[in-house]
Amino acid sequence: MDFDPTEPGRYLPAGDHEAFARLDPAAASAPDRLPLAYVLPLRAADDAGLSELTGYLRELSRWVDVTVVDGSPPDLFARHAAAWRGLARHVPPDPALQGCNGTALGVLTGVALARHEHVVIADDDVRYDLAGLRAVHGLLDRVDLVRPQHHFDPLPWPAWWDTGRTLLHRALGGDRPGTLAVRRSTFLAMGGYDPDVLFGNLELVRTVRAYGGATAAPAWLYVRRLPPTAARFRRQRVRQAYDDLARPGWLLAALAVLPAAAAALAARRPGLLLRAGVATVAVAELGRRRAGGTRVFPAHTALAAPLWLLDRGVCAWLAVGRLLRGGMPGADGRVRVAAHSTRALRRQLAERRPDDLVLWVEAGVAPSPVGADRLAR
């Protein structure tokens, strides 16, 4: 487990919040129930997967307190409310909050409403089991934020392709999953995080670190994730490449892929490309073997790494083009900033007034002098 070297952050008492829905009595009395809140930010465009997600929420409600912050259109919101009655607290995003990242608005709303100190934040395609929840709960006794490792199951070709990225990230510093876990008191005391960035998970991790919190990225803590559809995979490729604007080293490496390949072909040395592909597979295999990863990552997934890297080389240039045209489309306008640097976040946090923190903790909303669209500033 990799720990942030900074000291744990300060903690303020978590305020009580009224219950917005009565939980299933059978779930509330389950023997394995944990003092843990689970926040699921959602913005659905259709009913695809509703039955499967409902089954997952039913299982989750036996173990933890579930809040779904649903930014779906009114007709879908009503169907979700009917399907999840008794399983989860089902609420819309707080209308007082403004920002271009709809997922971040859902997280800000859900964590403010959470009734436990330990909070899991997960996308709608993440599937925890009880063992994973227990592990996260235990880690949050020691750190302010936990960043688990996701893996796809089942593994159709879009998931296989994206696993190449996962393995390279595991070998070179850690993956960026679709789920995090955080101490609610730390989250509230630092004022949440900026909902006007595209890479919300990285922004949250960096904000915790800038606040002085400790983070852990246990490579052995595997959390299942459903595979994306082929259509969603195609839509996400440039968006994910745009995230690398917040990580200049990764971006420069991706931008160098196409010029390097073109130079090798121009010099009539295709063997260089072959050797580069073999080296990429070797690095991915190191990531696959790390922390028992061979249990969840099949051997053939390492072969996806060169294909993913070549594709990212193309998408990185497309992402730069998006930046020059004003940014990526968001929930409310275009999002130009992928994520702020930790140094910039430290400066923003230092400029906050002490009463801003008190207002946030007591009211669960952004204080008006600061502006609800800049919660992390």
Side-chain angles (χ1 to χ4, degrees):
M1 181 167 55
D2 303 322
F3 287 96
D4 188 275
T6 57
E7 293 295 324
R10 300 162 294 179
Y11 306 117
L12 299 181
D16 294 329
H17 295 279
E18 61 177 337
F20 281 77
R22 186 180 299 277
L23 295 178
D24 187 333
S29 60
D32 289 323
R33 196 162 180 82
L34 300 170
L36 185 70
Y38 189 103
V39 173
L40 193 164
L42 179 68
R43 190 183 182 91
D46 53 47
D47 271 344
L50 176 59
S51 177
E52 191 278 338
L53 179 57
T54 300
Y56 174 61
L57 293 178
R58 182 173 293 109
E59 188 78 357
L60 266 182
S61 67
R62 296 177 55 246
W63 305 329
V64 296
D65 182 65
V66 183
T67 297
V68 180
V69 184
D70 192 350
S72 305
D75 57 335
L76 286 176
F77 185 95
R79 281 177 236 166
H80 295 163
W84 301 333
R85 186 171 292 113
L87 302 180
R89 185 186 303 107
H90 180 238
V91 298
D94 187 340
L97 304 177
Q98 301 295 322
C100 294
N101 189 323
T103 298
L105 298 178
V107 172
L108 291 165
T109 301
V111 176
L113 294 175
R115 292 184 292 229
H116 295 287
E117 165 69 352
H118 294 177
V119 182
V120 171
I121 302 164
D123 292 341
D124 62 334
D125 57 357
V126 172
R127 296 294 179 267
Y128 274 88
D129 57 16
L130 181 56
L133 292 170
R134 283 175 171 165
V136 165
H137 180 51
L139 288 166
L140 284 175
D141 285 333
R142 304 170 60 186
V143 297
D144 299 273
L145 181 141
V146 178
R147 179 160 53 96
Q149 168 66 66
H150 80 248
H151 68 96
F152 290 111
D153 182 20
L155 198 69
W157 76 264
W160 174 82
W161 188 288
D162 199 51
T163 299
R165 172 194 61 80
T166 298
L167 299 182
L168 290 176
H169 280 73
R170 280 173 59 81
L172 300 173
D175 191 26
R176 301 291 172 180
T179 179
L180 298 170
V182 67
R183 288 188 180 185
R184 180 177 182 273
S185 56
T186 302
F187 187 97
L188 298 181
M190 70 188 192
Y193 65 111
D194 193 337
D196 272 335
V197 300
L198 191 70
F199 200 169
N201 278 3
L202 179 59
E203 182 80 1
L204 177 52
V205 171
R206 287 180 173 176
T207 304
V208 169
R209 289 175 174 168
Y211 183 72
T215 69
W220 49 265
L221 179 50
Y222 298 104
V223 177
R224 178 176 170 240
R225 193 170 192 178
L226 300 181
T229 63
R232 184 177 182 182
F233 171 73
R234 286 192 292 269
R235 289 196 304 269
Q236 288 179 333
R237 287 161 55 241
V238 176
R239 183 192 183 283
Q240 291 175 347
Y242 196 94
D243 289 343
D244 282 344
L245 269 66
R247 301 183 297 170
W250 284 91
L251 178 64
L252 291 175
L255 291 174
V257 169
L258 288 186
L265 292 175
R268 297 183 179 181
R269 301 184 63 183
L272 290 176
L273 297 180
L274 179 61
R275 286 194 288 273
V278 171
T280 303
V281 171
V283 173
E285 181 63 16
L286 291 176
R288 192 180 78 89
R289 293 172 180 266
R290 182 184 176 195
T294 54
R295 292 186 293 108
V296 296
F297 300 116
H300 58 80
T301 54
L303 300 176
L307 297 176
W308 174 84
L309 187 60
L310 183 60
D311 181 66
R312 178 52 61 92
V314 174
C315 292
W317 285 101
L318 296 176
V320 170
R322 289 276 193 174
L323 175 65
L324 296 177
R325 294 197 300 271
M328 293 291 294
D332 184 20
R334 287 189 172 271
V335 186
R336 185 173 179 85
V337 178
H340 295 100
S341 68
T342 304
R343 178 179 298 179
L345 290 169
R346 285 197 184 103
R347 184 169 59 251
Q348 292 172 9
L349 288 169
E351 293 172 354
R352 292 182 59 95
R353 301 194 313 272
D355 59 317
D356 293 344
L357 303 180
V358 173
L359 284 171
W360 170 263
V361 172
E362 290 181 349
V365 297
S368 54
V370 176
D373 60 338
R374 290 293 185 273
L375 291 174
R377 297 182 179 182

